[in-house]
Every structure is written in structure tokens, then in C-alpha cells.
Amino acid sequence: MKIESVELVRIAMPLVAPFRTSFGTQFERDILLVHVIGPEAEGWGECVALADPLYSHEYVDGAQAIMKSFLLPRLAALPALSAQQVGQVLSVVKGNPMAKAAIEMAVLDAELSAMGASLASHLGAVRDSVACGVSIGIAGSIPELLDTVAAHLEEGYLRIKLKIEPGWDIEPVRAVRERFGDGVLLQVDANCAYSIADARQLARLDPFDLLLIEQPFEEDDLAGHAALARLIQTPVCLDESITSARAAADAIVRGACSVVNIKAGRVGGYLEARRVHDVCAAHGVAVWCGGMLETGLGRAANVALAALPNFTLPGDTSASDRYWRQDLTAPFVLDGGHLAVPQGPGIGVRPDPDVLAEVTTSVEKLAWSELG
Ligand code: NPQ
Ligand code: MG
């Protein structure tokens, strides 16, 4: 794969509704896109880092800086580049998985586009559509939450995930169960907001037959999660803690989780995400595809990943209109609770030039020959 230049494109996308989690409220997404351009093909990557380092240590300005100063120069110095090498070549730079993942995604998209192969087929997809859930932020009140859940169930979402934090946990879950019944697939996500001292409180979720509780404790607290898993009936799922395939194997063997949320950005790319999938499958641990409020670019790649065989639970792969009035690509539309897996070359979607122009806030253009 030959590359001549890279554009680091920053876009501002207003959310259709504010998204509140245990770490704060987001009103818009400031997203970094990686556009690699070569003589035969071009490719797009989406960096999932948020504006502030609240979900993980990465943040969007930092991701752009590390790409420019450390990641892209290492790739540009190679005599030839393939997507398969990106992870290994960049592994000498510590951390920064979201920045690395975005670059690998762009190179993969370009390379597969040139070959006429879809990302889904390249990763080993076994489905042409994937089951979708929706992640619902912390609401201002229980009636407001119930209205939001009702609207999403009407749209056809197959699973509901409630964001929780201390003070907003048992009551919202109870209210959703009372109103919508035991048939709804329901799970909760704490984004690290609790500690082992809260085990007794979290055990009060047991009667509500949740699919799982996602990441109740800090990222590095595998021992705490293992202890909690022994104390409660709700299956423990990890998100923030799963930073690689090895971390996934470690967490599983230590009894820290029985379900895994896979996000390519968090593990350094779609190829490592597939390895997380494989190691979980080998241990009989179900996985599902997480989401970071991506545009249609990242969404397309997530839906391809979610088509792998061990993605047996509905993902946070929601339709475009869950987040955007106007997506960057042709919109992903829910059909019977499912999204179609893109079949075109590469990630199978392209930004709409008019929408892209409208949302772009800056473009940093880098010549490949000057980087290396
Ligand atoms: C999670 N995502 O699973 C996250 C984290 C998250 C869909 O619940 C702005 C942009 C705000 C991305 C808040 C979902 C966000 C964000 C939370 C991602 O933990
Ligand atoms: Mg999560």
C-alpha cells in the first residue's frame, strides 16, 4: 500500500441529545478523522478519543499530536506499508490505542479498497446484519428515562443499556422492569463509578435479571471485579479494563468477567479487536461490540466487527439517528432491530463531501515523504 499524504481532519458534530454518563455530560463530539491518500486508493479512519481524558487517558488533541510526532513518522519510515504491520510497528510507542487504531483503520480501508475486499469479509464476518442495542444516558428523572426507553423500544432496539452511577442505579432499573417487563434485554454500565465498598448496593441489582453489569470499578481493578463477581449474581462485563487480547485472557482467567465489551479503539485497532474476540471465544466468553458515538465511518467498521461469530449479544451499534441529525455517511437505519453489514470495498462507506465540508473545523495536511 503506497501512501502520498495524510490529512488529519477535525470535525464538530452536535449530538441530537446530550449524553450523560458517570463521568460527565457531552453535548457534541469533536472527532479526529485520519484520511490516508495514495495513488491507487484512499482510506478513512475515525479516532474515538473524546475531547477530555474522562473515559480513558486519551483525548483528541493528544491523539492528533502523537499521530503527527510519533506514530505517522514511524510508518512513513518503512520501505513499504501494510495494515497488518501497523500494530506491531507502532507497539514501541507506549499506550495511545485510540490514535493507533484510527491510523490502522485508515490503512486497512485503503488497502482493502484497492483489493476490492470488504472489512467484514477480511475480519471473518458470518452475518450480513447485526443485532443492535442502545445506550441510554443518566436522565433527569425516572419519567423522563421511561419515555426515552419507550421511544427506543418502539424504534426496535433489541437491548437496553442504562448508564448508572451511585444514586442512579436500583431505582431506574426497577422502574424500567416494572414498566416494560421481564422480557426486555436489559443491562447497566457504570463507567468505573463504584468500588468494592459498594458490593452490597450492587447486589441489590440481582433480582432484576440483568444481562450484565459493565465496568463497575476502576480500569486496573481486576481483583475487585473478581471479588464482586463472586458476591453478586449479575454477570460482570469489562469495558475499560480490556486493553488487549492478553488483558482479556488475564481478566477471564482471574474470574474478573464473564462477558467482554469489545471496542477497537480501546485495544489499538480492529485487528487486535479480532484477537480479543478469538481469545474470548476460546474461553467460552460471549462478547458484544461497544460504541463511542462514532460517525458512519466508525459505525461501519464496528458493524463489520460485530458480524463475527462470537458477538452473540446485541451491541451498542445503534443507528445513525440515535446520535446525529445528519451523519457523515449514508445513514445506518435500523431494520427489525438490526443494521446491515456494509459489503462494499474497505469499510464500505465514504463521507458525504457536502456534510464533511460543513462539519470540518480544521485540516492538517502532511506529506508522507516529509514525515519519515
Ligand atoms: C461505554 N459508550 O460503553 C461508552 C462510553 C462513552 C455508547 O455507552 C461522548 C462520546 C460521550 C463518547 C460517553 C456508550 C461518551 C462517549 C461515554 C463514550 O462506556
Ligand atoms: Mg462502557
Side-chain angles (χ1 to χ4, degrees):
M1 163 74 209
K2 197 166 156 39
I3 297 174
E4 285 169 343
S5 63
V6 183
E7 289 175 347
L8 301 180
V9 180
R10 286 282 281 275
I11 61 174
M13 301 266 290
L15 292 166
V16 292
F19 189 56
R20 179 172 161 203
T21 66
S22 59
F23 60 78
T25 306
Q26 317 285 315
F27 295 87
E28 69 160 24
R29 238 9 212 103
D30 172 355
I31 298 175
L32 168 60
L33 303 177
V34 178
H35 185 200
V36 298
I37 302 153
E40 290 113 42
E42 48 155 12
W44 288 90
E46 177 167 345
C47 182
V48 299
L50 307 188
D52 301 330
L54 302 176
Y55 165 82
S56 79
H57 64 273
E58 287 184 276
Y59 64 105
V60 66
D61 284 336
Q64 185 162 348
I66 200 129
M67 283 180 190
K68 184 184 175 182
S69 301
F70 299 102
L71 303 179
L72 293 170
R74 287 191 175 264
L75 297 178
L78 299 172
L81 177 63
S82 73
Q84 186 258 116
Q85 291 174 283
V86 170
Q88 205 187 350
V89 170
L90 298 185
S91 67
V92 294
V93 176
K94 304 294 184 192
N96 298 281
M98 293 173 178
K100 293 172 180 175
I103 293 173
E104 187 203 68
M105 177 180 160
V107 176
L108 254 181
D109 182 35
E111 199 170 279
L112 293 171
S113 295
M115 288 166 30
S118 70
L119 177 63
S121 65
H122 181 71
L123 292 175
V126 295
R127 286 181 270 276
D128 54 20
S129 75
V130 302
C132 298
V134 60
S135 176
I136 299 178
I138 294 163
S141 67
I142 297 283
E144 192 188 303
L145 173 70
L146 294 177
D147 286 348
T148 306
V149 172
H152 288 310
L153 289 174
E154 253 158 61
E155 290 166 330
Y157 284 104
L158 300 171
R159 181 224 70 190
I160 299 293
K161 160 168 143 181
L162 304 181
K163 290 291 192 180
I164 60 167
E165 66 181 3
W168 180 265
D169 43 33
I170 312 300
E171 289 319 312
V173 168
R174 184 200 314 280
V176 169
R177 273 285 180 247
E178 277 177 3
R179 166 88 177 269
F180 302 100
D182 295 336
V184 174
L185 297 181
L186 184 63
Q187 63 192 52
V188 294
D189 184 359
N191 288 112
C192 313
Y194 295 85
S195 78
I196 193 66
D198 301 306
R200 210 184 279 273
Q201 171 73 1
L202 295 174
R204 294 179 60 212
L205 292 167
D206 283 348
F208 300 106
D209 195 27
L210 300 178
L211 282 171
L212 56 90
I213 177 170
E214 183 179 345
Q215 198 72 41
F217 304 159
E218 289 293 339
E219 198 174 312
D220 62 1
D221 190 9
L222 287 189
H225 285 103
L228 180 71
R230 290 190 294 268
L231 289 168
I232 67 174
Q233 277 157 26
T234 307
V236 173
C237 170
L238 292 176
D239 171 358
E240 285 89 332
S241 298
I242 305 298
T243 53
S244 66
R246 192 178 55 206
D250 187 31
I252 292 165
V253 168
R254 295 220 246 160
C257 65
S258 53
V259 185
V260 167
N261 166 327
I262 301 185
K263 290 176 179 167
R266 201 190 57 230
V267 302
Y270 285 89
L271 301 180
E272 182 71 5
R274 176 173 57 184
R275 291 189 280 271
V276 177
H277 163 274
D278 293 350
V279 85
C280 292
H283 283 90
V285 165
V287 305
W288 54 280
C289 186
M292 291 295 289
L293 286 55
E294 291 89 348
T295 73
L297 297 171
R299 192 166 308 282
N302 286 346
V303 169
L305 178 68
L308 269 62
N310 194 38
F311 282 83
T312 52
L313 293 167
D316 281 345
T317 46
S318 301
S320 295
D321 69 359
R322 159 70 183 91
Y323 296 115
W324 319 119
R325 203 173 308 285
Q326 169 99 71
D327 204 340
L328 199 54
T329 63
F332 281 82
V333 178
L334 214 58
D335 180 1
H338 288 67
L339 290 184
V341 177
Q343 302 295 339
I347 60 172
V349 297
R350 283 289 172 261
D352 177 299
D354 295 330
V355 179
L356 182 61
E358 211 170 292
V359 299
T360 296
T361 53
S362 71
V363 180
E364 186 170 21
K365 200 170 167 79
L366 306 165
W368 202 245
S369 59
E370 285 160 31
L371 279 165

